[in-house]
Amino acid sequence: MPLLKKKTTIVVAYFLLAGCCLPACHTQPEQKPVSKKPDYIKPIPGTNEPIPAALAQQGEVLIAYSDCYTCHKKAHRSVGPAFTDIAKRYPANKAFIEMLAHKVIAGGSGSWGTPAMAAHPQLLLEDAKKMVAFILSLKRME
């Protein structure tokens, strides 16, 4: 009997030792998250024109009183792209301000993924241009 008890103790000790060592053999080193730039920003080539500070301020006020912040945030993506990401993509010039103002009024989808931007037909074109001018003026924050 003592020989069987001794063998059992050795076998149990072996399994305990193996159970402690095996997890150490199969652990992977801790991986740190890698910060990547958003891949949805594809800059469009074009020249940037200066945006007057007064125009940008008027646009900022109009945005504050609109529903823009429901889907957009200034510096991070929400339902829609961040205003700073829009500024990174589009050149700040009259042609793009005009084009984006029409897009704000008409609504649309596809430029930034699947979420669709609601139309804002109540906006005057001149007000939409001021709002877009503010957004594109955020290039200075880069």
Side-chain angles (χ1 to χ4, degrees):
M1 261 308 197
L3 184 59
L4 183 60
K5 193 173 188 180
K6 189 175 183 179
K7 284 184 178 179
T8 304
T9 306
I10 292 173
V11 170
V12 169
Y14 173 76
F15 281 114
L16 285 175
L17 183 62
C20 292
C21 292
L22 282 177
C25 295
H26 295 293
T27 59
Q28 296 178 350
E30 185 178 328
Q31 295 180 353
K32 295 180 181 177
V34 178
S35 169
K36 289 174 53 178
K37 278 184 140 180
D39 60 355
Y40 61 86
I41 303 172
K42 297 172 186 142
I44 297 170
T47 53
N48 291 306
E49 298 169 359
I51 294 175
L55 180 65
Q57 288 173 339
Q58 290 172 2
E60 185 174 21
V61 169
L62 289 168
I63 285 175
Y65 284 100
S66 72
D67 65 346
C68 297
Y69 285 117
T70 304
C71 298
H72 299 277
K73 304 297 177 226
K74 197 170 193 177
H76 66 275
R77 187 177 179 119
S78 182
V79 174
F83 288 151
T84 53
D85 291 343
I86 295 169
K88 288 176 189 174
R89 178 181 275 183
Y90 295 101
N93 61 45
K94 290 179 184 178
F96 280 99
I97 290 173
E98 178 88 21
M99 186 264 307
L100 291 171
H102 283 286
K103 199 169 198 176
V104 167
I105 293 170
S109 66
S111 297
W112 295 92
T114 54
M117 184 172 68
H120 299 84
Q122 75 284 1
L123 272 177
L124 298 174
L125 180 59
E126 288 307 309
D127 288 344
K129 286 181 186 180
K130 291 174 187 176
M131 296 164 91
V132 170
F134 163 69
I135 294 168
L136 296 184
S137 76
L138 298 175
K139 285 183 181 302
R140 293 178 282 191
M141 294 180 65
E142 295 176 24

